[in-house]
Amino acid sequence: MNFRRIVVIPLVCFLIVYSRAYAYADPNPRTDVLEKAMLQELNPVIKSSLQKIYNEKYPQFNCERIISINEHFTLKKNRSRTLPVDAIHGAQYFEITVELCKPDGERVQLLLKNDSPDGSYAMKDHKIITAP
């Protein structure tokens, strides 16, 4: 009984914890690469948005990540007729929420939309989360 308590129970606990950590690991590293590529494309919009928010010429940030991507359609079908919605450049647009960390610990969430006539992304809203 002592051997079971001393060796087997901690070994089983270790295996359970290790298997959970492995289960939460990203099974598809391609998503990380896609997120980095998208953030690289959004980098000019992110910098200009932070310049507007903080009135800084060279904004500093790190730990950027995409929180959500929402797809919206500019036309909705309502029974037999089609109703226009708020975007004007095509059939669909996207809302991307990006979270950034400032060097002082403050976090910023940017809502970026591409519902303009040329389809480029622009900041529509932001939320500042102060450091604890």
Side-chain angles (χ1 to χ4, degrees):
M1 187 71 170
N2 260 346
F3 176 75
R4 192 179 276 173
R5 281 188 180 165
I6 293 173
V7 176
V8 175
I9 293 175
L11 182 63
V12 169
C13 292
F14 173 75
L15 290 174
I16 290 171
V17 170
Y18 180 73
S19 67
R20 281 189 181 168
Y22 183 74
Y24 290 125
D26 189 8
N28 187 1
R30 186 171 182 223
T31 57
D32 290 337
V33 174
L34 289 172
E35 181 180 23
K36 288 178 185 177
M38 184 173 275
L39 285 169
Q40 186 175 12
E41 289 296 313
L42 293 173
N43 195 19
V45 177
I46 292 170
K47 283 184 178 179
S48 68
S49 299
L50 291 176
Q51 287 173 345
K52 290 177 188 174
I53 295 169
Y54 290 104
N55 296 322
E56 296 175 342
K57 189 170 184 177
Y58 302 107
Q60 297 179 2
F61 62 93
N62 57 12
C63 72
E64 62 268 17
R65 67 187 180 110
I66 294 176
I67 295 177
S68 69
I69 300 175
N70 296 315
E71 180 182 21
H72 297 283
F73 293 95
T74 59
L75 299 173
K76 282 199 260 184
K77 200 163 195 177
N78 186 5
R79 296 189 186 142
S80 62
R81 58 188 188 135
T82 304
L83 300 173
V85 212
D86 53 348
I88 58 175
H89 72 276
Q92 66 183 6
Y93 68 97
F94 296 93
E95 291 179 348
I96 300 175
T97 305
V98 178
E99 185 175 79
L100 312 162
C101 300
K102 296 285 287 174
D104 62 357
E106 192 172 71
R107 292 180 311 163
V108 182
Q109 290 181 356
L110 303 173
L111 176 65
L112 307 174
K113 280 184 170 181
N114 70 338
D115 61 350
S116 62
D118 62 351
S120 62
Y121 282 92
M123 180 185 69
K124 296 299 178 184
D125 195 15
H126 71 280
K127 180 179 177 183
I128 297 174
I129 304 166
T130 56

